[in-house]
PDB file of all heavy atoms in Angstrom:
ATOM      1  N   ASP A 128      21.270   5.183 -19.254  1.00 84.00           N
ATOM      2  CA  ASP A 128      20.175   4.869 -20.094  1.00 84.00           C
ATOM      3  C   ASP A 128      18.819   5.284 -19.391  1.00 84.00           C
ATOM      4  O   ASP A 128      18.024   4.471 -19.249  1.00 84.00           O
ATOM      5  CB  ASP A 128      20.112   3.349 -20.434  1.00 84.00           C
ATOM      6  CG  ASP A 128      19.076   3.096 -21.539  1.00 84.00           C
ATOM      7  OD1 ASP A 128      18.656   3.933 -22.361  1.00 84.00           O
ATOM      8  OD2 ASP A 128      18.713   1.844 -21.518  1.00 84.00           O
ATOM      9  N   VAL A 129      18.702   6.463 -19.041  1.00 85.00           N
ATOM     10  CA  VAL A 129      17.628   7.062 -18.379  1.00 85.00           C
ATOM     11  C   VAL A 129      17.154   8.270 -19.188  1.00 85.00           C
ATOM     12  O   VAL A 129      17.936   8.832 -19.982  1.00 85.00           O
ATOM     13  CB  VAL A 129      17.828   7.486 -16.933  1.00 85.00           C
ATOM     14  CG1 VAL A 129      18.180   6.291 -16.080  1.00 85.00           C
ATOM     15  CG2 VAL A 129      18.845   8.526 -16.769  1.00 85.00           C
ATOM     16  N   PRO A 130      15.880   8.669 -19.162  1.00 84.00           N
ATOM     17  CA  PRO A 130      15.368   9.804 -20.036  1.00 84.00           C
ATOM     18  C   PRO A 130      15.998  11.105 -19.502  1.00 84.00           C
ATOM     19  O   PRO A 130      15.931  11.496 -18.389  1.00 84.00           O
ATOM     20  CB  PRO A 130      13.868   9.775 -19.770  1.00 84.00           C
ATOM     21  CG  PRO A 130      13.566   8.467 -19.294  1.00 84.00           C
ATOM     22  CD  PRO A 130      14.728   7.953 -18.533  1.00 84.00           C
ATOM     23  N   LYS A 152      19.367   6.179 -10.670  1.00 83.00           N
ATOM     24  CA  LYS A 152      19.131   4.844 -11.044  1.00 83.00           C
ATOM     25  C   LYS A 152      19.674   3.841 -10.011  1.00 83.00           C
ATOM     26  O   LYS A 152      20.632   4.085  -9.394  1.00 83.00           O
ATOM     27  CB  LYS A 152      19.735   4.501 -12.386  1.00 83.00           C
ATOM     28  CG  LYS A 152      19.209   3.197 -13.075  1.00 83.00           C
ATOM     29  CD  LYS A 152      19.891   3.017 -14.500  1.00 83.00           C
ATOM     30  CE  LYS A 152      19.316   1.818 -15.169  1.00 83.00           C
ATOM     31  NZ  LYS A 152      19.774   1.690 -16.437  1.00 83.00           N
ATOM     32  N   THR A 153      18.876   2.829  -9.777  1.00 80.00           N
ATOM     33  CA  THR A 153      19.269   1.837  -8.921  1.00 80.00           C
ATOM     34  C   THR A 153      19.643   0.581  -9.711  1.00 80.00           C
ATOM     35  O   THR A 153      19.159   0.539 -10.799  1.00 80.00           O
ATOM     36  CB  THR A 153      18.215   1.371  -7.911  1.00 80.00           C
ATOM     37  OG1 THR A 153      16.916   1.135  -8.502  1.00 80.00           O
ATOM     38  CG2 THR A 153      17.935   2.620  -6.868  1.00 80.00           C
ATOM     39  N   SER A 154      20.306  -0.384  -9.034  1.00 77.00           N
ATOM     40  CA  SER A 154      20.706  -1.692  -9.672  1.00 77.00           C
ATOM     41  C   SER A 154      21.418  -1.294 -10.986  1.00 77.00           C
ATOM     42  O   SER A 154      21.068  -1.797 -12.179  1.00 77.00           O
ATOM     43  CB  SER A 154      19.498  -2.506 -10.092  1.00 77.00           C
ATOM     44  OG  SER A 154      19.753  -3.835 -10.466  1.00 77.00           O
ATOM     45  N   THR A 196       7.371  -0.907  -3.333  1.00 93.00           N
ATOM     46  CA  THR A 196       8.046   0.320  -2.914  1.00 93.00           C
ATOM     47  C   THR A 196       8.372   1.184  -3.941  1.00 93.00           C
ATOM     48  O   THR A 196       8.496   0.755  -5.130  1.00 93.00           O
ATOM     49  CB  THR A 196       9.212   0.041  -2.014  1.00 93.00           C
ATOM     50  OG1 THR A 196      10.191  -0.774  -2.816  1.00 93.00           O
ATOM     51  CG2 THR A 196       8.830  -0.934  -0.809  1.00 93.00           C
ATOM     52  N   ARG A 217      12.869   5.483   0.071  1.00 87.00           N
ATOM     53  CA  ARG A 217      11.951   4.604  -0.477  1.00 87.00           C
ATOM     54  C   ARG A 217      10.919   4.081   0.438  1.00 87.00           C
ATOM     55  O   ARG A 217      11.223   3.761   1.600  1.00 87.00           O
ATOM     56  CB  ARG A 217      12.662   3.360  -1.093  1.00 87.00           C
ATOM     57  CG  ARG A 217      13.681   3.701  -2.143  1.00 87.00           C
ATOM     58  CD  ARG A 217      14.136   2.474  -2.933  1.00 87.00           C
ATOM     59  NE  ARG A 217      13.235   1.762  -3.602  1.00 87.00           N
ATOM     60  CZ  ARG A 217      12.725   2.125  -4.790  1.00 87.00           C
ATOM     61  NH1 ARG A 217      13.291   3.144  -5.429  1.00 87.00           N
ATOM     62  NH2 ARG A 217      11.864   1.465  -5.423  1.00 87.00           N
ATOM     63  N   SER A 322       8.485  -6.994  -8.752  1.00 89.00           N
ATOM     64  CA  SER A 322       9.843  -6.740  -9.072  1.00 89.00           C
ATOM     65  C   SER A 322       9.926  -5.738 -10.155  1.00 89.00           C
ATOM     66  O   SER A 322      11.034  -5.230 -10.503  1.00 89.00           O
ATOM     67  CB  SER A 322      10.497  -7.973  -9.430  1.00 89.00           C
ATOM     68  OG  SER A 322       9.883  -8.731 -10.536  1.00 89.00           O
ATOM     69  N   VAL A 323       8.843  -5.505 -10.909  1.00 88.00           N
ATOM     70  CA  VAL A 323       8.905  -4.492 -12.013  1.00 88.00           C
ATOM     71  C   VAL A 323       9.282  -3.074 -11.387  1.00 88.00           C
ATOM     72  O   VAL A 323       9.761  -2.325 -12.161  1.00 88.00           O
ATOM     73  CB  VAL A 323       7.523  -4.450 -12.758  1.00 88.00           C
ATOM     74  CG1 VAL A 323       6.478  -3.779 -11.895  1.00 88.00           C
ATOM     75  CG2 VAL A 323       7.683  -3.696 -14.072  1.00 88.00           C
ATOM     76  N   TYR A 324       9.056  -2.820 -10.206  1.00 88.00           N
ATOM     77  CA  TYR A 324       9.318  -1.543  -9.533  1.00 88.00           C
ATOM     78  C   TYR A 324      10.641  -1.551  -8.946  1.00 88.00           C
ATOM     79  O   TYR A 324      11.089  -0.597  -8.333  1.00 88.00           O
ATOM     80  CB  TYR A 324       8.322  -1.227  -8.487  1.00 88.00           C
ATOM     81  CG  TYR A 324       6.979  -0.868  -9.063  1.00 88.00           C
ATOM     82  CD1 TYR A 324       5.929  -1.908  -9.154  1.00 88.00           C
ATOM     83  CD2 TYR A 324       6.605   0.270  -9.551  1.00 88.00           C
ATOM     84  CE1 TYR A 324       4.774  -1.543  -9.734  1.00 88.00           C
ATOM     85  CE2 TYR A 324       5.451   0.744 -10.090  1.00 88.00           C
ATOM     86  CZ  TYR A 324       4.360  -0.296 -10.154  1.00 88.00           C
ATOM     87  OH  TYR A 324       3.258  -0.134 -10.639  1.00 88.00           O
ATOM     88  N   VAL A 325      11.501  -2.587  -9.069  1.00 85.00           N
ATOM     89  CA  VAL A 325      12.809  -2.717  -8.437  1.00 85.00           C
ATOM     90  C   VAL A 325      13.898  -2.538  -9.367  1.00 85.00           C
ATOM     91  O   VAL A 325      13.896  -3.217 -10.479  1.00 85.00           O
ATOM     92  CB  VAL A 325      12.898  -4.068  -7.691  1.00 85.00           C
ATOM     93  CG1 VAL A 325      14.284  -4.315  -7.090  1.00 85.00           C
ATOM     94  CG2 VAL A 325      11.821  -4.303  -6.660  1.00 85.00           C
ATOM     95  N   GLY A 326      14.850  -1.852  -9.090  1.00 72.00           N
ATOM     96  CA  GLY A 326      16.168  -1.636  -9.882  1.00 72.00           C
ATOM     97  C   GLY A 326      15.779  -0.966 -11.006  1.00 72.00           C
ATOM     98  O   GLY A 326      15.304   0.096 -11.153  1.00 72.00           O
ATOM     99  N   ARG A 327      16.170  -1.615 -12.244  1.00 65.00           N
ATOM    100  CA  ARG A 327      16.208  -1.035 -13.572  1.00 65.00           C
ATOM    101  C   ARG A 327      14.692  -0.862 -14.081  1.00 65.00           C
ATOM    102  O   ARG A 327      14.211  -1.913 -14.726  1.00 65.00           O
ATOM    103  CB  ARG A 327      17.034  -1.669 -14.542  1.00 65.00           C
ATOM    104  CG  ARG A 327      18.459  -1.795 -14.117  1.00 65.00           C
ATOM    105  CD  ARG A 327      19.266  -2.519 -15.072  1.00 65.00           C
ATOM    106  NE  ARG A 327      20.714  -2.820 -14.563  1.00 65.00           N
ATOM    107  CZ  ARG A 327      21.558  -3.544 -15.267  1.00 65.00           C
ATOM    108  NH1 ARG A 327      21.346  -3.936 -16.341  1.00 65.00           N
ATOM    109  NH2 ARG A 327      22.821  -3.651 -14.658  1.00 65.00           N
ATOM    110  N   VAL A 328      14.023   0.052 -13.706  1.00 68.00           N
ATOM    111  CA  VAL A 328      12.522   0.172 -13.992  1.00 68.00           C
ATOM    112  C   VAL A 328      12.414   0.393 -15.580  1.00 68.00           C
ATOM    113  O   VAL A 328      12.980   1.262 -16.111  1.00 68.00           O
ATOM    114  CB  VAL A 328      11.814   1.237 -13.261  1.00 68.00           C
ATOM    115  CG1 VAL A 328      10.485   1.369 -13.598  1.00 68.00           C
ATOM    116  CG2 VAL A 328      12.038   0.989 -11.764  1.00 68.00           C
ATOM    117  N   ASP A 329      11.600  -0.442 -16.217  1.00 68.00           N
ATOM    118  CA  ASP A 329      11.438  -0.375 -17.665  1.00 68.00           C
ATOM    119  C   ASP A 329      10.144   0.435 -17.768  1.00 68.00           C
ATOM    120  O   ASP A 329       9.060   0.038 -17.484  1.00 68.00           O
ATOM    121  CB  ASP A 329      11.246  -1.743 -18.247  1.00 68.00           C
ATOM    122  CG  ASP A 329      11.155  -1.680 -19.777  1.00 68.00           C
ATOM    123  OD1 ASP A 329      11.015  -0.604 -20.258  1.00 68.00           O
ATOM    124  OD2 ASP A 329      11.370  -2.736 -20.410  1.00 68.00           O
ATOM    125  N   PRO A 330      10.272   1.749 -18.479  1.00 70.00           N
ATOM    126  CA  PRO A 330       9.112   2.457 -18.708  1.00 70.00           C
ATOM    127  C   PRO A 330       8.018   1.784 -19.367  1.00 70.00           C
ATOM    128  O   PRO A 330       6.694   1.929 -19.277  1.00 70.00           O
ATOM    129  CB  PRO A 330       9.584   3.725 -19.373  1.00 70.00           C
ATOM    130  CG  PRO A 330      11.149   3.811 -19.161  1.00 70.00           C
ATOM    131  CD  PRO A 330      11.366   2.362 -18.914  1.00 70.00           C
ATOM    132  N   LYS A 331       8.383   0.985 -20.369  1.00 73.00           N
ATOM    133  CA  LYS A 331       7.375   0.246 -21.242  1.00 73.00           C
ATOM    134  C   LYS A 331       6.574  -0.796 -20.267  1.00 73.00           C
ATOM    135  O   LYS A 331       5.342  -0.889 -20.457  1.00 73.00           O
ATOM    136  CB  LYS A 331       8.039  -0.535 -22.337  1.00 73.00           C
ATOM    137  CG  LYS A 331       8.716   0.422 -23.340  1.00 73.00           C
ATOM    138  CD  LYS A 331       9.266  -0.473 -24.485  1.00 73.00           C
ATOM    139  CE  LYS A 331      10.068   0.372 -25.638  1.00 73.00           C
ATOM    140  NZ  LYS A 331      10.572  -0.463 -26.528  1.00 73.00           N
ATOM    141  N   GLU A 332       7.202  -1.479 -19.388  1.00 73.00           N
ATOM    142  CA  GLU A 332       6.576  -2.393 -18.493  1.00 73.00           C
ATOM    143  C   GLU A 332       5.512  -1.575 -17.555  1.00 73.00           C
ATOM    144  O   GLU A 332       4.444  -2.088 -17.277  1.00 73.00           O
ATOM    145  CB  GLU A 332       7.530  -3.197 -17.626  1.00 73.00           C
ATOM    146  CG  GLU A 332       8.261  -4.190 -18.508  1.00 73.00           C
ATOM    147  CD  GLU A 332       9.118  -5.049 -17.492  1.00 73.00           C
ATOM    148  OE1 GLU A 332       9.124  -4.832 -16.315  1.00 73.00           O
ATOM    149  OE2 GLU A 332      10.039  -5.876 -18.070  1.00 73.00           O
ATOM    150  N   LEU A 333       6.020  -0.465 -17.073  1.00 76.00           N
ATOM    151  CA  LEU A 333       5.099   0.394 -16.198  1.00 76.00           C
ATOM    152  C   LEU A 333       3.928   0.848 -16.972  1.00 76.00           C
ATOM    153  O   LEU A 333       2.812   0.944 -16.534  1.00 76.00           O
ATOM    154  CB  LEU A 333       5.930   1.484 -15.622  1.00 76.00           C
ATOM    155  CG  LEU A 333       6.926   1.160 -14.542  1.00 76.00           C
ATOM    156  CD1 LEU A 333       7.513   2.381 -13.869  1.00 76.00           C
ATOM    157  CD2 LEU A 333       6.205   0.358 -13.361  1.00 76.00           C
TER     158      LEU A 333
END
Side-chain angles (χ1 to χ4, degrees):
D128 192 23
V129 298
K152 189 173 184 179
T153 56
S154 189
T196 62
R217 294 192 67 81
S322 58
V323 72
Y324 291 95
V325 177
R327 304 175 187 178
V328 177
D329 187 342
K331 293 182 179 179
E332 292 184 3
L333 288 185

